[in-house]
Amino acid sequence: MFDPATAAVEAALAAGATYADARFVEARAENIEVLNGNVEGLDRIESVGVGVRAMFGSSWGFFGTHDLSAEGLRSAGHRAAEIAKASAAVPGPLFELADVPVVEASYETPHQEPPLEVPLSEKVDLLVTVTEEMAAVDRIRLARASFGAWDTHKWFVSSQGHRIHQHLVECGGGFDATAIGESETQRRSYPQSFGQYETGGYETVRKWEYAANAGRIAEEAAALLDAEQCPEGEMTIILEASQLALQIHESVGHAIELDRILGWEAAFAGTSHLRLEELGRHRYGSDLMNITADATLPGALGTFGFDDEGTPAQRVPIVDAGLWVGVLSGRDSAAIAGLPPGGMVRADGYDRLPMVRMTNVGLLPGASSVEEMIAETRRGVLMSTNRSWSIDDKRLNFQFGCEIGWEIVDGRLGRMIKNPTYTGITPRFWAQLDMLGGAAEWVHWGTPNCGKGQPMQVAHTGHSASPGRFAEVRVGVRG
Amino acid sequence: MNPQEAARRVVEMVGDRAEAEAIVTFGREELTRFANSFIHQNVGSEYTRVRLRVADGGRVAAVTGNRADDASLARLAEDALTVAATQPVDHDWPGVAPAGHAGDGDFSDPSTVDATPAGRAGVVADFVAAGEGMLAAGFCDSDSFEAAFANSNGRAGSYRGSRATIDGIHQTGESAGSAHQTSRALAALDGAAAGALAADRARRGMNAFDLKPGEYQVVLAPEAVATIAIFLDFYGFNGKAVGEGQSFVAIGDQQFDPAITIVDDPLDGEAVGAPFDAEGVAKAPLTLVDAGVTTAVVHDRRTAGKVGANSTGHAWEQSSAYGPLAGHVVVRPGAASVDDLIAGVERGVYVATFNYCRILDPKSQVVTGLTRNGTFMIEHGVITGAITNLRFTQSFVKALGPGNVAAVGDDLRYADSEFGPGLVRAPSLRLDSWNFTGGAEG
């Protein structure tokens, strides 16, 4: 399947492009949605096509097509080059693409059970069973479960000589129970909000033992209706790992995207509070904060062999003992910033332009445990599982809500509380990180729904985290 | 093969083995994106989308492909039947729509259908030029398509549509201002006017100060009103949410201020419209709120069937999971100019847009988010300066509730929302109270 991509690249070069690359992508996906024991949706989606990217001067053009005829591929390459020339009418600064190894290679996600080959009846039975168990709990009105899988082949060719085939396998899912009261709803989810997704086969779903956790989750949702409101004020919080993963995603992952720092996402996704001239000098957080962007982590959702520019997957230090030291970059952004390319450029399908996306932006584990954090907290709240998330366009002012919390009084867990929220300003918040869970509590959480770019693209990112404790945080903001 | 032929063909391929419905779209979308005052992304694609849903004795499956040749359609049909056969019976399956004409229409404009990269670059250049000395960022896009529906009861229909948008900001280095225009017609977009508005907001946004959080009167520009409208729509007027007990909606109750009327109007002359929904049910104007009284919710065939009502024509591809959605929302305008709205504020805040809004509780419609790209202090009826972005935590139902809507603007236009362009037309509003819960200090 290198030939269609090659044809498109050659057409772009013939039309005047100085560089071109193309991806032939065959993608299959499956989504199952179950509500209260009834299958509400079962979708299978397939797409095949070629996306060709052409450079003219310092300007890009891109065209995607599902027309795989010789004429269709020639036309796509030609149109990409013509669009690049139109872009050059309002040009940016001149640059040379950053060098990357030119390779002929292949990569396949390690996996045991191809998720699309697992019988549908087995997957549906699991989801139906857990929703029926949850729905049987008093006051649970809505019991949902879902499964999703992606099986993607990409053949990448560039005018510099890249020829790379990748076969990526990803899947996951989860469930939630919603209790509805007179004037409120309360929900609990497992393994995390929107499900837990990883690279790998169906074995990654089995390990989470849905059935063993359904009853507990439903009981917690029902109990939340009677729980006390989260207290208001400044206090210590302990974030369980999946919530901390989202905190990393929003307040670190997006802020370190080099295209945002360069202003390329300013209008839609916003910019960043980080300034390149402060790289290596800006204090992002406390000494416990060590963050890497690691596309090589086995099983994590942001893992691959090569990015969509043909750059090999790599591990890049981002924050070292609290000091900001790295960014997420691609060949053009790295060249403009004078940095080495990080191999963090991906596209959502053959018909989308590759752009800087998070790989596995994770917080390396510390040396504590949740039990130790609780024991060393005089007054605070333990919060679990994200319910809402909002952060400003510079990734500074954030407010997160969690599904459930427990008060901590004098080193012991107290009563369950509902509607726990916390708010803060990014560097101040990370400076308040004073205890961090160890390797035994470190999980590669996956975010399958990261939106960015125009037209909107959805990326799959990973965020390794263990639980963390933060001192003097404002909690309990209400409307 | 055109979309009508493809839709009919794939349904024929299923034959009498199952109920079937297909919606097929052929289109071309192109987008010119600019930042730091130059074009940094310029993309296009031709797309084909074939969605086939089958039901064999209530065993339902949907498959989607991106090719419409005979072999691909045949494979899609066989896949759908194979998958459906493995499913348990869906007890809420309403069946496909009865025989009849789904509708047709041409909602497209030639200037969008024939759009070129150079044409979009011209709109962008006008936007950039309107902000001398500033850095511009945003996009100009064009999308044109032809869609067709067919089902195994013989129901069919087709239409053409188009949408074009200029959306961008100007930045001074310490402030930013935004502007947005959407139309069926690329030719109707005025890059210079949009750029001038964004630049004016950016200039006024300099030297911003921090405002102490609290309850303030506000004047909300159309983008901010559109965000409220789309949240009310998705989480409230959604027939599935109502059935599940998650919606605030109480039909017949005065839940909003008498100044508020909200309709879904897919067929009027300005609409980026569609004559039927994803189930082939004809669309028609539907009043959701009439002078503050909640009057209707939207249904697809599934949610309608569960309550013994008729579908209102609001199915979309994901409505089985997320519920039906009104996609042509209009918040009816009033008679006040924007200057009039501001003149009526003794001490309050003007908000150009909201940013990153998330619902905290669907039933009470409490939402948190921030202001962005133009937040200004109003004192004694005039804008007196810029303030830094504020976080709010506010029930959107209460925000438009009885007694809280002081005036409605006459500046109805398409406004972007949290869900994207082309969904909501809204005017500016003046509200007596809005709950800001944080600022630059957290």
Side-chain angles (χ1 to χ4, degrees):
Chain A
M1 294 297 177
F2 286 114
D3 290 349
T6 301
V9 166
E10 288 174 349
L13 296 175
T18 52
Y19 167 86
D21 59 34
R23 288 170 296 117
F24 180 98
V25 180
E26 277 185 358
R28 294 187 298 157
E30 181 178 278
N31 295 302
I32 307 171
E33 301 281 346
V34 174
L35 174 66
N36 294 346
N38 197 37
V39 178
E40 282 201 325
L42 194 157
D43 285 80
R44 279 195 166 176
I45 302 161
E46 295 187 4
S47 72
V48 181
V50 170
V52 56
R53 189 173 69 149
M55 178 171 268
F56 183 81
S58 62
S59 298
W60 288 112
F62 175 87
F63 200 83
T65 185
H66 57 82
D67 181 353
L68 302 179
S69 67
E71 177 51 34
L73 295 166
R74 271 197 303 274
S75 174
H78 182 82
R79 292 173 84 161
E82 291 302 311
I83 290 172
K85 290 177 184 175
S87 301
V90 189
L94 281 170
F95 63 90
E96 296 286 332
L97 284 176
D99 283 338
V100 298
V102 174
V103 296
E104 296 188 15
S106 64
Y107 172 87
E108 182 175 56
T109 302
H111 64 285
Q112 296 167 23
E113 296 179 83
L116 298 183
E117 293 178 20
V118 173
L120 268 170
S121 57
E122 181 179 344
K123 292 178 282 196
V124 168
D125 284 350
L126 173 64
L127 303 185
V128 168
T129 299
V130 298
T131 61
E132 288 178 341
E133 183 172 349
M134 290 189 292
V137 172
D138 190 32
R139 301 204 286 180
I140 297 301
R141 288 277 302 275
L142 306 169
R144 302 180 196 277
S146 62
F147 168 82
W150 299 270
D151 186 286
T152 308
H153 285 271
K154 302 178 187 180
W155 288 265
F156 175 81
V157 168
S158 82
S159 59
Q160 293 177 324
H162 292 89
R163 287 169 67 89
I164 298 168
H165 170 241
Q166 294 193 86
H167 177 206
L168 304 179
V169 181
E170 305 156 291
C171 70
F175 56 83
D176 57 78
T178 302
I180 300 178
E182 272 299 302
S183 59
E184 65 176 324
T185 64
Q186 293 294 339
R187 186 186 66 211
R188 286 290 289 131
S189 306
Y190 181 87
Q192 63 164 337
S193 308
F194 307 110
Q196 164 64 354
Y197 292 82
E198 297 165 56
T199 51
Y202 194 66
E203 67 277 3
T204 64
V205 172
R206 294 187 196 281
K207 75 179 182 186
W208 286 97
E209 299 181 339
Y210 287 8
N213 288 279
R216 172 180 64 84
I217 287 295
E219 296 285 356
E220 287 181 354
L224 279 167
L225 288 178
D226 300 326
E228 294 294 317
Q229 289 282 357
C230 177
E232 291 183 74
E234 287 197 353
M235 62 192 75
T236 296
I237 62 170
I238 299 170
L239 300 180
E240 59 77 38
S242 74
Q243 173 58 33
L244 189 48
L246 190 68
Q247 180 76 47
I248 296 163
H249 178 97
E250 299 291 355
S251 67
V252 181
H254 280 304
I256 59 170
E257 291 164 346
L258 185 52
D259 53 350
R260 296 177 70 115
I261 295 171
L262 293 174
W264 298 354
E265 291 292 318
F268 179 62
T271 57
S272 172
H273 63 281
L274 299 170
R275 294 183 296 143
L276 265 184
E277 57 268 31
E278 293 182 340
L279 186 63
R281 294 188 283 118
H282 173 73
R283 178 148 286 278
Y284 215 116
S286 77
D287 290 347
L288 288 175
M289 188 183 187
N290 289 284
I291 286 186
T292 58
D294 189 349
T296 69
L297 275 175
L301 191 58
T303 295
F304 46 77
F306 299 85
D307 78 353
D308 285 343
E309 293 187 310
T311 306
Q314 53 195 289
R315 182 178 193 266
V316 176
I318 299 295
V319 177
D320 181 10
L323 198 66
W324 176 42
V325 296
V327 298
L328 306 177
S329 65
R331 295 186 67 184
D332 53 3
S333 54
I336 289 170
L339 298 168
M344 292 117 165
V345 166
R346 288 185 288 162
D348 177 14
Y350 74 86
D351 57 348
R352 292 292 182 259
L353 180 71
M355 61 193 303
V356 173
R357 302 310 301 250
M358 291 177 229
T359 57
N360 301 302
V361 178
L363 180 64
L364 301 182
S368 302
S369 67
V370 169
E371 289 72 22
E372 290 169 351
M373 293 178 209
I374 295 168
E376 295 188 24
T377 299
R378 191 180 67 81
R379 177 171 177 260
V381 179
L382 169 64
M383 300 189 190
S384 181
T385 317
N386 184 263
R387 181 165 179 175
S388 69
W389 64 106
S390 173
I391 190 165
D392 74 12
D393 54 326
K394 292 187 182 298
R395 321 310 286 191
L396 280 170
N397 179 319
F398 61 79
Q399 180 172 313
F400 292 103
C402 291
E403 291 181 351
I404 192 168
W406 289 268
E407 274 191 309
I408 304 169
V409 180
D410 294 332
R412 304 182 71 161
L413 271 190
R415 59 186 178 172
M416 176 188 291
I417 58 170
K418 64 184 172 187
N419 304 326
T421 62
Y422 66 99
T423 189
I425 302 292
T426 293
R428 194 185 310 158
F429 178 80
W430 281 104
Q432 292 160 334
L433 173 65
D434 63 2
M435 295 183 80
L436 187 58
E441 298 175 290
W442 201 55
V443 174
H444 302 326
W445 296 102
T447 300
N449 56 347
C450 174
K452 181 183 172 186
Q454 291 173 308
M456 172 70 88
Q457 299 192 38
V458 175
H460 300 171
T461 69
H463 306 287
S464 307
S466 50
R469 193 182 83 153
F470 297 80
E472 300 301 311
V473 178
R474 184 183 174 199
V475 306
V477 175
R478 278 193 275 281
Chain B
M1 196 178 304
N2 62 33
Q4 294 94 318
E5 291 168 340
R8 180 176 47 78
R9 188 96 178 93
V10 73
V11 169
E12 286 174 354
M13 288 170 171
V14 175
D16 60 6
R17 293 180 288 176
E19 293 179 88
E21 66 179 15
I23 188 156
V24 178
T25 309
F26 290 2
R28 180 165 62 98
E29 59 181 358
E30 294 176 296
L31 179 142
T32 300
R33 200 169 185 215
F34 55 104
N36 299 322
S37 298
F38 68 88
I39 293 173
H40 73 114
Q41 287 180 15
N42 212 339
V43 301
S45 68
E46 288 171 335
Y47 60 90
T48 289
R49 189 170 171 83
V50 181
R51 187 170 196 267
L52 172 67
R53 187 165 65 162
V54 302
D56 179 8
R59 300 175 192 277
V60 183
V63 293
T64 303
N66 75 329
R67 287 185 289 184
D69 56 273
D70 252 6
S72 298
L73 295 178
R75 196 163 58 83
L76 211 59
E78 296 309 315
D79 280 356
L81 290 165
T82 301
V83 173
T86 68
Q87 291 309 292
V89 172
D90 177 351
H91 300 290
D92 296 327
W93 171 245
V96 300
H101 184 51
D104 52 34
D106 190 344
F107 297 84
S108 66
D109 184 89
S111 67
T112 310
V113 175
D114 300 329
T116 63
R120 286 186 301 279
V123 177
V124 168
D126 289 345
F127 187 99
V128 172
E132 190 175 351
M134 299 187 197
L135 286 179
F139 74 93
C140 176
D141 76 341
S142 54
D143 183 7
S144 64
F145 58 89
E146 182 175 5
F149 175 88
N151 75 15
S152 51
N153 283 337
R155 192 174 188 83
S158 66
Y159 68 102
R160 294 174 188 272
S162 67
R163 180 193 55 76
T165 295
I166 175 75
D167 185 292
I169 61 174
H170 274 293
Q171 303 158 94
T172 65
E174 64 171 270
S175 61
S178 62
H180 175 97
Q181 294 178 7
T182 283
S183 171
R184 292 178 187 173
L186 179 68
L189 302 183
D190 186 339
L197 174 59
D200 179 59
R201 285 172 165 170
R203 281 189 203 96
R204 288 168 177 254
M206 297 178 71
N207 305 310
F209 64 90
D210 298 340
L211 182 68
K212 188 178 177 184
E215 297 271 348
Y216 289 90
Q217 276 189 297
V218 289
V219 174
L220 304 180
E223 266 64 44
V225 177
T227 294
I228 296 173
I230 207 73
F231 272 76
L232 295 175
D233 176 13
F234 189 81
Y235 295 100
F237 301 122
N238 171 338
K240 187 169 196 278
V242 173
E244 292 172 346
Q246 296 205 88
S247 168
F248 66 86
V249 161
I251 299 289
D253 285 4
Q254 183 89 40
Q255 295 190 287
F256 299 95
D257 191 276
I260 296 296
T261 292
I262 302 174
V263 302
D264 186 63
D265 198 352
L267 305 176
D268 81 5
E270 298 297 317
V272 178
F276 54 82
D277 71 358
E279 294 175 327
V281 175
K283 289 176 173 286
L286 178 68
T287 299
L288 302 167
V289 177
D290 185 7
V293 177
T294 303
T295 54
V297 298
V298 301
H299 284 297
D300 56 18
R301 287 178 55 76
R302 175 185 290 265
T303 62
K306 292 180 84 166
V307 296
N310 292 320
S311 170
T312 55
H314 290 92
W316 55 298
E317 291 185 2
Q318 298 301 317
S319 59
S320 65
Y322 298 103
L325 178 67
H328 312 277
V329 175
V330 182
V331 179
R332 292 284 188 221
S337 69
V338 175
D339 286 344
D340 290 340
L341 297 180
I342 293 169
V345 175
E346 183 58 26
R347 186 168 188 271
V349 178
Y350 178 93
V351 179
T353 64
F354 289 140
N355 180 57
Y356 217 132
C357 297
R358 289 293 181 273
I359 199 151
L360 302 181
D361 181 60
K363 195 156 186 175
S364 57
Q365 280 263 335
V366 175
V367 176
T368 189
L370 298 117
T371 66
R372 186 181 176 190
N373 294 332
T375 310
F376 302 105
M377 193 74 211
I378 307 172
E379 293 173 292
H380 311 303
V382 294
I383 288 177
T384 54
I387 49 184
T388 54
N389 291 332
L390 292 161
R391 174 171 294 286
F392 66 85
T393 307
Q394 168 71 50
S395 163
F396 280 177
V397 179
K398 287 184 180 173
L400 303 189
N404 203 47
V405 180
V408 180
D410 61 1
D411 54 339
L412 179 73
R413 62 170 171 80
Y414 266 109
D416 201 351
S417 72
E418 290 280 320
F419 291 14
L423 296 171
V424 181
R425 281 173 282 167
S428 299
L429 293 179
R430 184 171 75 227
L431 308 180
D432 277 343
S433 178
W434 188 268
N435 187 27
F436 291 111
T437 52
E441 295 304 308

